[in-house]
Amino acid sequence: MSPQQSELRILSFNCKNVKTIAPFIENMRNQVDIILLQEHWLFDHELNLLDELNSHFCGKGKSINSGKNTCDLLIKSVRGYGGVAILWDRSIDQYVKSIIDGNNRIQCIELALKNPILLVSAYLPTKAENDKFEEFSECIDQLFEITQKYELTHNLVIGGDFIEEISKINNSRRALKLKKLIDECNMKVDFKGPTFINVKGEEISEIDYFIYKTEVTHKTSRLTDVASNVSDHHPIKITLPCKFLKKEDILESNVQPRIRWDKVDINKYSNIIAQETPMLKEKLQNQQNSITTTIEQTMEMLSNTAKKCSAQKTYGKNKLKLKLWNPEIKHTLHQNKIAYKNWKNADRPNDPEHPLKETEL
């Protein structure tokens, strides 16, 4: 992919073990720029493999044991399961920023475009064990929070395996919860046909979707004829127009302004912190977040709140720039440089009556 490219091609794919999809990635290398993966089956200590799948892609992911005790999980399971990730073409790495929002079933990245995009790869819980509604509901609630947080500043695209069919009449509480997210966040979803294949090779349900909120035109498709696909899911694809920021604009956007604490509205700052803290405490007490994730989210909250409550100074942006340069000054400076060069080439004579010391400018 080139930063001059006018289209962004995004794939969502439940790969059912990332260790088996190297041929698939190579096959799709020239057809997609970003891949949202579900069920990579890696443990947390194996996530470095995401950067080794293909020399043209790098990535970021979360595993089923991210933020948990790996030893306990290894005792219960002979292999990894679940997990989400996002891979992107290395040529656009400077435009990609990993976002910490979401649990270990949600991976987010931000794209630094003229109209920034927040991309989310989501893998919701299966229907086993009494349909896991509470865990499913928690994931939907987190997607709602992410949408509310970024909808005013970003185009939003959530791709993934939602383990629930909403393309047909389905009044299960899981389907209704997912539909409520789409309706309340004023998002859209395109239906393209069955994406899940049973053991008999029959396409039986559509459970993989792109749910999006974007002002730009797009097109979606279902890829059914990829020979290297060994998963029981069809990949789905969305294409968006894009315009990358210039390198200097990215550097400027990454500069973090220094907080002027003497200018911070302390009362406003305290009120916002008091409103946000209980939610973080609740997630930590209910073990919805690891300690590391909670600390990262707390630091981000404190930083963002301080920026909102401080009066940042604009350094001279509106100052009048006087144009003092004129042709006479330019000519005099030029003559001065010539005189200095001649004096230097003559071994810098100190005699005040020397011709070079008397040169008139």
Side-chain angles (χ1 to χ4, degrees):
M1 180 185 183
S2 168
Q4 285 74 43
Q5 187 172 305
S6 60
E7 286 188 335
L8 188 67
R9 303 162 299 179
I10 306 165
L11 194 77
S12 180
F13 181 40
N14 183 321
C15 63
K16 289 291 181 72
N17 191 355
V18 77
K19 296 179 181 179
T20 67
I21 66 167
F24 174 85
I25 298 294
E26 180 62 25
N27 193 11
M28 301 301 297
R29 179 167 62 86
N30 295 321
Q31 302 180 45
V32 297
D33 310 303
I34 297 175
I35 304 176
L36 314 182
L37 290 177
Q38 302 88 44
E39 287 205 81
H40 55 57
W41 293 5
L42 299 175
F43 285 117
D44 197 61
H45 67 277
E46 299 176 300
L47 290 175
N48 62 294
L49 294 176
L50 295 172
D51 287 332
E52 302 173 8
L53 288 172
N54 190 287
S55 61
H56 294 273
F57 286 90
C58 54
K60 184 74 174 179
K62 295 177 183 176
S63 71
I64 201 66
N65 69 314
S66 291
K68 298 181 180 179
N69 189 316
T70 303
C71 295
D72 292 343
L73 190 61
L74 287 173
I75 293 173
K76 300 176 184 177
S77 176
V78 296
R79 62 167 174 79
Y81 59 94
V84 288
I86 301 180
L87 308 180
W88 58 87
D89 193 299
R90 292 181 188 273
S91 65
I92 62 170
D93 186 52
Q94 61 181 318
Y95 302 96
V96 178
K97 177 183 178 183
S98 178
I99 303 296
I100 65 172
D101 295 280
N103 59 17
N104 56 17
R105 290 182 174 273
I106 298 170
Q107 176 65 55
C108 306
I109 64 170
E110 178 188 29
L111 287 173
L113 306 177
K114 185 175 182 181
N115 296 310
I117 296 178
L118 185 81
L119 286 178
V120 181
S121 178
Y123 175 58
L124 272 64
T126 65
K127 297 181 181 180
E129 301 177 17
N130 195 28
D131 82 4
K132 288 190 175 181
F133 180 72
E134 290 186 5
E135 188 178 351
F136 181 91
S137 182
E138 170 62 21
C139 288
I140 295 295
D141 290 343
Q142 290 200 22
L143 291 175
F144 178 83
E145 291 177 9
I146 291 170
T147 302
Q148 294 295 302
K149 180 177 179 180
Y150 292 98
E151 65 177 350
L152 297 179
T153 56
H154 294 66
N155 288 315
L156 294 164
V157 178
I158 304 172
D161 182 0
F162 292 86
I163 320 287
E164 197 64 44
E165 185 160 17
I166 58 174
S167 57
K168 300 178 181 179
I169 297 177
N170 183 357
N171 292 322
S172 72
R173 56 180 182 171
R174 287 165 56 105
L176 294 176
K177 183 75 175 181
L178 178 54
K179 291 177 182 177
K180 184 178 180 181
L181 167 71
I182 296 171
D183 292 339
E184 289 189 356
C185 294
N186 196 27
M187 302 183 79
K188 298 180 180 178
V189 56
D190 297 331
F191 301 116
K192 293 296 180 181
T195 59
F196 177 68
I197 308 163
N198 65 14
V199 293
K200 297 180 181 180
E202 300 170 335
E203 299 177 336
I204 59 172
S205 59
E206 183 174 6
I207 57 176
D208 302 89
Y209 306 103
F210 278 114
I211 299 174
Y212 56 89
K213 188 170 187 178
T214 172
E215 301 296 329
V216 298
T217 56
H218 68 281
K219 53 185 177 182
T220 56
S221 58
R222 178 180 62 127
L223 282 60
T224 60
D225 56 353
V226 183
S228 53
N229 179 13
V230 295
S231 171
D232 54 5
H233 287 251
H234 290 310
I236 55 175
K237 182 179 178 182
I238 187 170
T239 303
L240 303 169
C242 69
K243 185 174 182 181
F244 288 95
L245 292 175
K246 295 180 180 179
K247 188 174 182 179
E248 54 269 24
D249 293 332
I250 296 176
L251 294 175
E252 183 178 345
S253 65
N254 289 335
V255 174
Q256 299 297 322
R258 182 174 64 88
I259 302 299
R260 296 165 55 86
W261 287 102
D262 57 325
K263 302 295 183 181
V264 170
D265 185 334
I266 300 300
N267 291 331
K268 182 179 179 181
Y269 178 83
S270 300
N271 290 336
I272 294 177
I273 296 300
Q275 293 173 6
E276 298 288 341
T277 302
M279 181 178 65
L280 292 174
K281 287 183 177 178
E282 182 180 353
K283 288 183 177 181
L284 186 60
Q285 291 171 353
N286 295 335
Q287 297 183 343
Q288 296 172 9
N289 280 352
S290 66
I291 294 177
T292 301
T293 300
T294 302
I295 292 174
E296 290 176 345
Q297 291 181 348
T298 302
M299 296 302 294
E300 183 180 17
M301 176 192 68
L302 293 173
S303 176
N304 291 338
T305 303
K307 292 173 187 176
K308 291 178 183 177
C309 300
S310 64
Q312 295 294 333
K313 183 178 179 180
T314 56
Y315 292 94
K317 289 185 178 179
N318 298 320
K319 288 183 179 179
L320 179 63
K321 296 181 180 180
L322 300 177
K323 295 183 179 181
L324 300 177
W325 209 261
N326 59 49
E328 290 184 21
I329 294 176
K330 182 177 180 181
H331 174 73
T332 302
L333 181 60
H334 179 66
Q335 291 299 107
N336 186 42
K337 289 181 178 179
I338 293 175
Y340 175 77
K341 182 179 180 182
N342 293 335
W343 173 75
K344 184 178 178 182
N345 292 338
D347 296 329
R348 306 172 185 257
N350 292 323
D351 184 358
E353 297 183 357
H354 193 282
L356 292 178
K357 296 286 286 184
E358 298 176 353
T359 302
E360 294 183 3
L361 300 180

